[in-house]
Amino acid sequence: MGGTDSKLNFRKAVVQLTTKTQPVEAGDDAFWDQFWADTVTNISDVFALIPAAEIRALREESPSNLATLCYKAVEKLVSAAETGCTAPKEQQIVLNSVRLLTRVLPYIFEDADWRGFFWSTLPGQTGNLETVGDEFPEEESLPLAQSLLNALADLLFCPDFSVVAAKKQQASEKPDDPQNIDSCEFIWEAGVGFATSPPHSAQLDTNRTELLKLLLTCFSETMYLPPVSDAHSIPNQWITYLCSPENRHALPLFTSLINVVCAYDPVGYGMPYNHLLFNDTREPLVEVASQILVVTLDHTQSGPNAPSSVDTLDESGEHGMADNLFVNYLSRIHREEDFRFVLKGLTRLLNNPLIQTYLPGSTKKIAFHQELLVLFWKMCDHNKKFLFFVLKSSDVLDVLVPILYHLNDARADQSRVGLMHIGVFILLLLSGERNFGVRLNKPYSVRVPMDIPVFTGTHADFLVIVFHKIITSGHQRLQPLYDCLLTIIVNVSPYLKSLSMVSANKLLHLLEAFSTPWFLFSNPSNHHLVFFILEVFNNIIQYQFDGNSNLVYTIIRKRNVFHQLANLPVEPHAITQALTRRGKKAAPAPTGEALEQPMMEGALPPVDAEPGTLKASLAATPGVASMTETSKVMPGEGVEGATGGAEGGETPADSPVKDPETAGQTEKPQPPPPGVSDTESSVESQQLAAAAAKEASSIQPPITPTEVATPAEESVARAPQRTASVSSSVTTTTTSNEWRATPEWVQSWKQKLPLQTIMRLLQVLVPQVEKICIDKGLTDESEILKFLQHGTLVGLLPVPHPILIRKYQANSGTTLWFRTYMWGVIYLRNLEPPIWYDTDVKLFEIQRV
């Protein structure tokens, strides 16, 4: 009954405040105390009792009352931070003030005229806030935002409220003075820079969570700025202040946040169904802590030209990230035990959804994996020593497997496009390092139920198979990622010692689909996909030929694909004919999925989100060329298993060999290997090319002659961004202003197709394989594979080409994309209570699937 009375009193106070036409005096404590003195049981009650419409009405019709409400709430927090809050009544006042500000702040941010309110000094024109000035005369000129952030930082290390008191106080002793304690002794969890694990307290966790939610709400001013670079050129003042030396708790707060996240173990001692028996107060704290970290670590620019990574910190002097102590602390972590703690914690949480037990639903599953992926990204981007530590051992595979799991699981769900992007971007970052490609050769033994073919092979096979699945059966909004997916495979290809037959067939199938004439002619950048795949084959043939008999055999079996590509028609009537036949080729056919190898046991196909599911829009996907910079690795520089070529041979950038015996001949296809159907391949190819061509039909400006006049490798490295329009199905002949393929354009890139190495391989090996089959009457592919395993092309191939590695490079486009994605995730993950729901956010749009 008491709880009902307190809610009724609270509601009455809200109604009085919103209906009063005259300003309420700041000194009217009897009125203002109604908002925080009564016991409102939780934050959901505050949100229910203060409707959005009434906050907006208060903002528009009684602005002085809204200002006074904010001042009085901050005043309560400042007072508690100065004197401590050990008594239950004091703690209740703090929590109610925090909840009230969490409710009101988004409505202040959504109005551009109010955004500077918290950063203005105490206004003299109101004339009724003299009590605040009287009580805090020394802080009269301090902006309200700074007072609020200082109070929150103090309260996050307040004994008996958010941290355990250092020792039990004697009855005669005064409690610890919050203003004088050394907060580095009160770090919340053992881990980086702190060895002592404090006793766990559910109430302390709950209090910390509420304080951090308000802190996150303070930072969310970014949500109300449009997604254009100019709007974000001025730093978020809230984040700037909290991460500056002005915050005396910056180091212990950063350490507490990262330690709480990385020490969290949702499974605990592994007792089945423990999450149903006990309330886990640590998970909400870990979730909001991870969100605070990714937001503060994203805040790295003092202007549009600020450095984008810690590597440029020395050059930038005291500007840019030097001001952000969180980024500074993160970049300075260097002890191996700290790296091990962080990596073990992140991989434990990322692999949590993959845990399989005999008792369904017996293990707690976390849902904040997107925040963890962004945090891992920030760790690698800001601390290169951590990145090298991750790649130094096979632990990187504990990151790879959950990323591939989430990519495969989310490929059909339009509400999880952002998750697909962050997963691919992380793999792009990792693939720029040699060690990642080397680690992929470790055998894949994890058996996570996924709807991919059963295979025996390495983590490289796993990666190729999942990428193939994304391209062939993902939804159309993923097409801008095709370049990134293939770039990752290109980056690791020189180090792949042995691809399985399944993954080799998947790569050939992609080439078969992307090299279809009508697909190549339907978009000015589709041919770049072919360049990528050919580069993969060239890298493996030149540098890892000895162990890749499966891929070589598949290339021989599908050699007609390469011959057709070398003889691609360039005549105007052939181009027109290929485009007009597109409708026939794209006609529905029996799905190839049913003809594939059996799927993993227990796997379920991914499905789109439930109708009505909320999703946040994203900024334009950065093109792979804008996200990467190309570096060359010369033969012999850390690539094992390279096969030398004859001196004086042409490089793959030259025109392909037009040998009359190979380039023009009609080939008889070899029997397909067991388990792989030619019917499946052709059906899948038609469906894939049809979907991709429809998606790629977005209109783009024609490529200029200077863009197509580059060598093959550089042409691919500078591939223009492939834009995608979800609803676009425009043909290439609808308007006179529309781009259309011309013979000159086709010839300009066709003559640079890097086919020479592959054609030379076919020229040498096809006659040998045919002779063995005739002489020995072989019909079993195992004998052919055995022959290829012991074969060699030393001295027969062209001189090995330099390896092109495309390393991730941050720029303003990727920075804005990450910011938009991150805040979209935070918005959708905070719907209970709905902190930002139904407010006028500008950074992204909230849509329903």
Side-chain angles (χ1 to χ4, degrees):
M1 190 66 185
T4 305
D5 289 342
S6 64
K7 291 179 187 178
L8 187 59
N9 293 337
F10 186 87
R11 178 61 190 152
K12 285 180 179 178
V14 172
V15 172
Q16 287 177 8
L17 183 66
T18 54
T19 54
K20 282 183 182 291
T21 55
Q22 297 299 319
V24 182
E25 293 293 328
D28 188 356
D29 290 336
F31 175 77
W32 295 111
D33 284 348
Q34 298 176 89
F35 290 99
W36 29 77
D38 285 332
T39 305
V40 180
T41 53
N42 55 52
I43 193 170
S44 298
D45 291 338
V46 173
F47 275 70
L49 295 171
I50 311 180
E54 294 185 12
I55 302 175
R56 289 192 176 105
L58 184 64
R59 184 186 68 199
E60 302 301 327
E61 298 168 14
S62 303
S64 61
N65 285 344
L66 177 58
T68 308
L69 178 67
C70 294
Y71 275 119
K72 297 295 287 185
V74 174
E75 177 189 1
K76 291 297 178 184
L77 297 181
V78 171
S79 176
E82 288 192 339
T83 61
C85 52
T86 54
K89 186 175 181 180
E90 295 171 338
Q91 295 183 2
Q92 193 61 52
I93 290 174
V94 168
L95 291 175
N96 283 343
S97 301
V98 165
R99 293 161 184 167
L100 195 67
L101 288 169
T102 304
R103 179 58 170 154
V104 169
L105 272 172
Y107 298 90
I108 288 179
F109 292 151
E110 75 174 3
D111 188 326
D113 294 334
W114 273 82
R115 281 181 207 145
F117 164 71
F118 270 85
W119 292 97
S120 58
T121 53
L122 295 177
Q125 67 269 22
T126 57
N128 53 8
L129 296 176
E130 63 279 355
T131 52
V132 180
D134 290 341
E135 292 184 26
F136 308 111
E138 74 281 1
E139 294 185 1
E140 195 167 7
S141 62
L142 198 65
L144 193 63
Q146 292 186 15
S147 298
L148 173 58
L149 291 173
N150 288 338
L152 288 176
D154 286 338
L155 289 169
L156 284 167
F157 296 95
C158 181
D160 291 326
F161 180 66
S162 56
V163 293
V164 179
K167 59 182 180 179
K168 290 292 181 183
Q169 303 290 340
Q170 300 294 329
S172 59
E173 289 185 26
K174 291 180 64 178
D176 292 329
D177 182 0
Q179 296 298 310
N180 295 324
I181 65 170
D182 180 4
S183 51
C184 287
E185 297 177 2
F186 293 88
I187 291 173
W188 301 346
E189 188 59 75
V192 177
F194 194 67
T196 307
S197 184
H200 182 94
S201 166
Q203 188 57 52
L204 296 184
D205 281 351
T206 303
N207 294 343
R208 292 167 182 166
T209 302
E210 296 220 36
L211 292 170
L212 291 179
K213 289 269 188 185
L214 175 55
L215 205 53
L216 191 63
T217 308
C218 292
F219 296 161
S220 68
E221 184 178 339
T222 303
M223 280 193 199
Y224 299 91
L225 303 176
V228 292
S229 298
D230 292 345
H232 298 266
S233 58
I234 301 175
N236 183 313
Q237 296 181 82
W238 298 87
I239 301 176
T240 299
Y241 185 80
L242 186 90
C243 298
S244 72
E246 297 289 328
N247 175 14
R248 70 186 185 96
H249 301 291
L251 176 58
L253 179 56
F254 169 78
T255 312
S256 295
L257 293 173
I258 199 164
N259 287 356
V260 158
V261 172
C262 296
Y264 178 54
D265 184 358
V267 177
Y269 293 108
M271 187 177 79
Y273 303 106
N274 61 341
H275 60 290
L276 301 179
L277 302 175
F278 309 105
N279 183 29
D280 184 5
T281 57
R282 182 53 63 102
E283 183 183 12
L285 174 62
V286 173
E287 184 174 325
V288 71
S290 65
Q291 292 169 357
I292 293 282
L293 280 172
V294 297
V295 168
T296 51
L297 294 174
D298 174 65
H299 187 73
T300 57
Q301 294 185 324
S302 295
N305 299 318
S308 55
S309 71
V310 165
D311 294 341
T312 58
L313 184 60
D314 295 335
E315 301 172 13
S316 64
E318 297 182 358
H319 299 290
M321 289 179 300
D323 299 327
N324 187 330
L325 291 182
F326 277 32
V327 174
N328 187 280
Y329 297 146
L330 178 64
S331 68
R332 294 178 187 277
I333 298 175
H334 64 279
R335 296 190 308 171
E336 288 221 349
E337 54 266 38
D338 291 338
F339 286 155
R340 195 172 295 110
F341 166 76
V342 171
L343 181 58
K344 184 178 179 181
L346 291 178
T347 55
R348 181 198 307 118
L349 294 173
L350 287 173
N351 282 277
N352 168 263
L354 283 63
I355 296 174
Q356 300 299 315
T357 60
Y358 291 106
L359 299 172
S362 63
T363 304
K364 182 181 181 66
K365 299 294 175 69
I366 62 166
F368 53 94
H369 46 271
Q370 296 189 82
E371 292 94 320
L372 294 170
L373 289 173
V374 177
L375 180 57
F376 177 78
W377 171 275
K378 294 295 181 185
M379 288 285 301
C380 293
D381 194 32
H382 293 316
N383 192 322
K384 297 305 178 189
K385 290 181 181 178
F386 176 75
L387 174 61
F388 297 143
F389 176 83
V390 171
L391 294 166
K392 189 171 68 173
S393 70
S394 295
D395 290 340
V396 68
L397 302 178
D398 292 332
V399 177
L400 171 71
V401 171
I403 288 177
L404 292 178
Y405 169 82
H406 287 301
L407 291 180
N408 184 70
D409 187 56
R411 70 179 191 269
D413 186 345
Q414 294 189 44
S415 69
R416 296 158 75 189
V417 174
L419 171 60
M420 298 290 296
H421 281 71
I422 182 63
V424 171
F425 290 164
I426 289 175
L427 297 183
L428 179 64
L429 177 72
L430 296 175
S431 72
E433 306 297 333
R434 173 187 176 274
N435 272 2
F436 180 68
V438 173
R439 298 300 167 201
L440 290 178
N441 291 304
K442 184 177 180 180
Y444 177 73
S445 57
V446 185
R447 283 293 171 254
V448 181
M450 295 169 60
D451 65 324
I452 59 174
V454 176
F455 70 97
T456 301
T458 65
H459 284 76
D461 296 307
F462 183 38
L463 181 140
V464 169
I465 291 169
V466 170
F467 281 11
H468 173 271
K469 203 78 174 177
I470 293 169
I471 293 173
T472 58
S473 61
H475 58 78
Q476 292 183 346
R477 290 186 65 197
L478 298 180
Q479 202 206 347
L481 288 178
Y482 289 1
D483 285 343
C484 282
L485 294 171
L486 295 182
T487 298
I488 293 165
I489 300 178
V490 170
N491 280 349
V492 303
S493 59
Y495 315 108
L496 305 185
K497 293 181 177 298
S498 178
L499 287 177
S500 70
M501 187 64 78
V502 175
S503 56
N505 273 287
K506 299 303 180 189
L507 285 176
L508 261 296
H509 171 229
L510 290 179
L511 178 64
E512 190 175 6
F514 289 143
S515 61
T516 309
W518 55 266
F519 177 70
L520 289 172
F521 300 156
S522 63
N523 185 277
S525 57
N526 281 352
H527 64 283
H528 291 295
L529 300 175
V530 173
F531 276 82
F532 279 129
I533 300 178
L534 291 177
E535 189 176 347
V536 171
F537 294 153
N538 287 335
N539 284 342
I540 293 177
I541 292 169
Q542 288 280 19
Y543 296 105
Q544 300 292 350
F545 175 83
D546 291 345
N548 276 288
S549 55
N550 288 325
L551 179 64
V552 174
Y553 171 71
T554 308
I555 290 174
I556 292 174
R557 188 175 67 82
K558 291 282 189 180
R559 58 191 178 273
N560 60 310
V561 175
F562 300 96
H563 294 311
Q564 290 169 5
L565 193 55
N567 296 305
L568 189 71
V570 297
E571 298 80 13
H573 72 276
I575 295 174
T576 304
Q577 186 179 19
L579 291 171
T580 55
R581 291 174 57 194
R582 179 168 67 180
K584 293 182 181 179
K585 295 248 181 195
T591 177
E593 296 291 336
L595 302 169
E596 281 194 355
Q597 296 90 336
M599 298 297 165
M600 292 187 175
E601 184 179 352
L604 296 173
V607 294
D608 201 351
E610 291 288 330
T613 301
L614 293 176
K615 65 174 181 177
S617 63
L618 294 167
T621 306
V624 70
S626 67
M627 286 196 299
T628 57
E629 61 176 4
T630 305
S631 61
K632 292 186 178 181
V633 180
M634 299 306 292
E637 291 184 14
V639 182
E640 300 171 3
T643 52
E647 288 190 19
E650 296 178 319
T651 64
D654 298 324
S655 302
V657 175
K658 297 290 180 64
D659 188 88
E661 295 182 7
T662 57
Q665 67 186 6
T666 303
E667 297 286 348
K668 296 180 180 179
Q670 296 286 338
V676 178
S677 163
D678 273 337
T679 309
E680 166 216 338
S681 183
S682 62
V683 169
E684 266 196 344
S685 299
Q686 290 180 17
Q687 290 182 325
L688 167 59
K694 180 181 178 182
E695 183 62 31
S697 57
S698 304
I699 306 308
Q700 295 184 356
I703 297 179
T704 63
T706 55
E707 285 174 318
V708 297
T710 54
E713 291 90 345
E714 295 302 320
S715 174
V716 175
R718 299 183 205 153
Q721 178 180 345
R722 299 159 43 78
T723 59
S725 170
V726 177
S727 59
S728 177
S729 57
V730 186
T731 66
T732 57
T733 56
T734 54
T735 68
S736 58
N737 296 328
E738 197 169 299
W739 177 87
R740 63 176 71 197
T742 64
E744 295 77 20
W745 172 77
V746 176
Q747 187 62 40
S748 68
W749 57 261
K750 177 189 171 183
Q751 65 187 2
K752 294 194 293 287
L753 284 170
L755 286 167
Q756 183 190 10
T757 299
I758 296 170
M759 289 302 191
R760 183 61 179 163
L761 176 145
L762 294 174
Q763 184 184 27
V764 173
L765 292 182
V766 168
Q768 295 181 20
V769 171
E770 289 180 340
K771 185 174 185 302
I772 291 175
C773 290
I774 294 171
D775 292 350
K776 298 187 177 181
L778 295 180
T779 57
D780 184 7
E781 69 171 14
S782 60
E783 293 295 325
I784 302 172
L785 289 171
K786 192 177 297 183
F787 163 74
L788 293 174
Q789 285 169 1
H790 297 93
T792 181
L793 292 178
V794 174
L796 299 175
L797 293 178
V799 173
H801 55 278
I803 299 169
L804 289 177
I805 301 297
R806 297 167 182 86
K807 293 195 173 189
Y808 170 80
Q809 184 67 32
N811 59 52
S812 58
T814 57
T815 300
L816 184 58
W817 188 94
F818 272 102
R819 188 165 297 164
T820 306
Y821 167 64
M822 218 162 40
W823 279 110
V825 169
I826 291 171
Y827 179 104
L828 294 173
R829 296 282 301 140
N830 286 275
L831 294 178
E832 293 182 8
I835 297 177
W836 300 281
Y837 185 74
D838 204 27
T839 62
D840 187 21
V841 295
K842 297 281 200 313
L843 188 62
F844 46 82
E845 292 180 11
I846 296 299
Q847 305 158 344
R848 291 189 182 274
V849 175

